[in-house]
Amino acid sequence: MKKATRQQTKVHNRNLVLHTIINNESVSRAEIARITSLTKTTVSDIVADLLEEGLIAEIGVGESLGGKNPILLSLLPDSRCLLGLDLAHNQFQGAIVNLRGQIQKKASLPVNDRDGNEALALVYEILDQLIPGCNLPLVGIGVGTPGLVNTRDGVVVDAVNLDWHDFPLAQLLKDRYHLPVYILNDSQAAAIGEYTYGKGHIAESSLVVIHVHHGIGSGIVINGHLFQGDGGGAGEIGHVVVVSEGGLLCRCGNRGCLETVASAQAIVRRIRTLANESYSNSWQDPAHKITLDEVERAYNLGDPLALQVVSESARYMGLAISGLVGILNIHEIVLSGDMTSFGRPWLDTIVDTMQHTSLSRSVQDTRVEFGQLGANAVILGSTAVMANNYSLLFTGQPTQAEFTYQ
Ligand SMILES: [Zn+2]
């Protein structure tokens, strides 16, 4: 193994100290030395640098364990800002986020079926709206987009709805804004968001977030690291075939994919079809274009057709999750995206189906729950990637660091 250079050791130690301060509400220099096994002098030098950078502050004194009362240090969450984008189907959303994942300002624009360069113009418009609202050092731009993404090169390999193919989004944004840029698949971003900021899941170091919105995808975090697979497409659960015969054609070219029966789009389409076949329910006006919001309202009012269709979709989700749990043996499954608005009955049907379609013992130990971040999961995940990449937080170094998720 190659020996670390002095510079590498210095950066490693600095990151270790910063990590310790971030992970504790407040902590003294002596405690940092104890936790990191670094010498007190090294810790003091690094803390001096962090104070000078304005990333941390001395916030008071702690209890004495004999001797002088120690000075407590804490992260200054509002010392930097990060920009996060969620390029969701109907609406692009963006936000300024601080170092603790708190949203400072939000903007959103309707997509109205725009794609290609028009969709790119919309991305610019949101960023142009947000950037003047950030008066602190701006760490970078994180983008969660649907589709297959090459995160290392910042290229959207294939996003059908946006008509982006081998689209160099990171480079385009870097050229325009001169900031580091990270592009992630939206479900993978949601997974990092929930992993980093979703309190309540933090006991587990591995989790799978299934993002069920217009499409369906998942993000897999294993031992604290995002698992992207060999080609970046790990977690494409939306295209697992769950209807073996007579399934609907999916946008991927196959038939009977999970997305064709369990996504928000699938539910709306199914209700439209069934409503056209039946004249005995409240959906009968064929000229009316049914929306997901309407399905949700009808579902909450106990409309039999909405109940039937949503419950059918939940059973397919349960079936797919059962397969996933059987393979990965991960105990924490988190659901995010539009479909979570169908609430507890939807979730309970998923869990029930999962338990009844798997022989795997690991299913019995699996928790399936809603995400903690709601509609902000993708935005917060795309910024968490940068907040966790400490080299980006130092003002003298506006460089595009290697993509690593710590
Ligand atoms: Zn498919």
Side-chain angles (χ1 to χ4, degrees), residues 82-88 91-97 103 105-109 119-131 140-146 162 164 169-170 173 177 181-190 211 375-386:
L82 309 119
L83 282 166
L85 292 186
D86 174 4
L87 308 187
Q91 185 151 275
F92 285 180
Q93 297 191 70
I96 299 175
V97 179
I103 288 183
K105 193 180 171 207
K106 242 179 141 171
S108 65
L109 289 170
L120 176 67
L122 213 54
V123 171
Y124 291 159
E125 203 179 325
I126 287 212
L127 289 169
D128 292 347
Q129 271 185 29
L130 287 170
I131 287 174
I141 302 167
V143 184
T145 170
L162 294 167
W164 286 351
L169 184 58
L173 296 179
Y177 298 102
V181 176
Y182 287 99
I183 315 287
L184 276 174
N185 165 272
D186 53 3
S187 303
Q188 294 180 348
H211 197 51
N376 296 325
V378 175
I379 287 178
L380 292 179
S382 65
T383 56
V385 174
M386 295 180 289

Side-chain angles (χ1 to χ4, degrees), residues 194-207:
E194 289 290 343
Y195 179 78
T196 310
Y197 299 121
K199 299 183 178 68
H201 318 304
I202 48 174
E204 299 284 352
S205 60
S206 302
L207 58 80

Side-chain angles (χ1 to χ4, degrees), residues 5-48:
T5 63
R6 267 182 69 175
Q7 182 58 25
Q8 284 168 331
T9 308
K10 222 176 137 185
V11 169
H12 174 80
N13 291 345
R14 186 189 69 186
N15 289 353
L16 203 58
V17 171
L18 184 55
H19 185 71
T20 310
I21 297 172
I22 288 174
N23 276 1
N24 291 276
E25 276 295 298
S26 63
V27 64
S28 70
R29 287 172 178 81
E31 278 174 296
I32 296 171
R34 187 178 53 74
I35 295 168
T36 59
S37 304
L38 295 172
T39 66
K40 283 185 183 168
T41 320
T42 305
V43 170
S44 287
D45 289 349
I46 294 171
V47 164

Side-chain angles (χ1 to χ4, degrees), residues 109-368:
L109 289 170
V111 178
N112 297 333
D113 296 326
R114 274 172 281 191
D115 58 18
N117 282 333
E118 289 189 354
L120 176 67
L122 213 54
V123 171
Y124 291 159
E125 203 179 325
I126 287 212
L127 289 169
D128 292 347
Q129 271 185 29
L130 287 170
I131 287 174
C134 179
N135 303 317
L136 298 158
L138 188 47
V139 177
I141 302 167
V143 184
T145 170
L148 181 63
V149 178
N150 174 340
T151 301
R152 200 194 52 204
D153 299 336
V155 171
V156 181
V157 179
D158 208 9
V160 179
N161 290 329
L162 294 167
D163 198 21
W164 286 351
H165 310 281
D166 293 321
F167 193 69
L169 184 58
Q171 196 55 53
L172 289 162
L173 296 179
K174 271 185 238 169
D175 289 347
R176 187 176 162 100
Y177 298 102
H178 308 289
L179 287 167
V181 176
Y182 287 99
I183 315 287
L184 276 174
N185 165 272
D186 53 3
S187 303
Q188 294 180 348
I192 295 181
E194 289 290 343
Y195 179 78
T196 310
Y197 299 121
K199 299 183 178 68
H201 318 304
I202 48 174
E204 299 284 352
S205 60
S206 302
L207 58 80
V208 178
V209 169
I210 303 181
H211 197 51
V212 202
H213 52 137
H214 184 74
I216 300 176
S218 75
I220 304 165
V221 174
I222 297 177
N223 295 329
H225 294 268
L226 180 67
F227 177 74
Q228 294 187 295
D230 291 337
E236 278 286 13
I237 192 176
H239 302 286
V240 167
V241 174
V242 290
V243 184
S244 53
E245 275 175 48
L248 294 170
L249 185 66
C250 179
R251 64 190 166 97
C252 73
N254 277 344
R255 283 188 176 273
C257 294
L258 182 65
E259 226 174 75
T260 65
V261 285
S263 63
Q265 180 192 22
I267 280 182
V268 170
R269 192 170 51 201
R270 181 104 175 109
I271 296 237
R272 281 182 195 156
T273 308
L274 293 178
N276 280 338
E277 287 169 4
S278 154
Y279 294 95
S280 60
N281 60 59
S282 50
W283 305 96
Q284 61 194 0
D285 178 5
H288 178 67
K289 219 166 177 260
I290 297 162
T291 64
L292 185 68
D293 285 347
E294 282 169 323
V295 177
E296 205 186 302
R297 267 197 301 277
Y299 177 83
N300 289 331
L301 291 170
D303 176 86
L305 185 59
L307 289 175
Q308 178 204 325
V309 168
V310 171
S311 145
E312 240 172 52
S313 80
R315 283 199 290 277
Y316 283 118
M317 277 303 303
L319 193 64
I321 294 176
S322 152
L324 190 76
V325 170
I327 295 165
L328 293 173
N329 191 17
I330 285 179
H331 287 167
E332 183 90 17
I333 306 285
V334 177
L335 299 167
S336 73
D338 293 344
M339 286 295 292
T340 56
S341 52
F342 289 102
R344 206 74 226 176
W346 178 72
L347 181 72
D348 289 345
T349 308
I350 291 174
V351 173
D352 195 54
T353 312
M354 179 188 84
Q355 285 173 342
H356 287 96
T357 51
S358 177
L359 294 173
S360 164
R361 274 195 58 196
S362 62
V363 162
Q364 309 315 319
D365 301 322
T366 302
R367 276 190 308 277
V368 183

Side-chain angles (χ1 to χ4, degrees), residues 48-56 79-80 137 393-397:
D49 285 348
L50 296 176
L51 285 166
E52 199 181 327
E53 274 285 345
L55 276 168
I56 62 167
S79 59
R80 302 286 185 274
L393 305 184
F394 293 85
T395 46
Q397 310 170 340

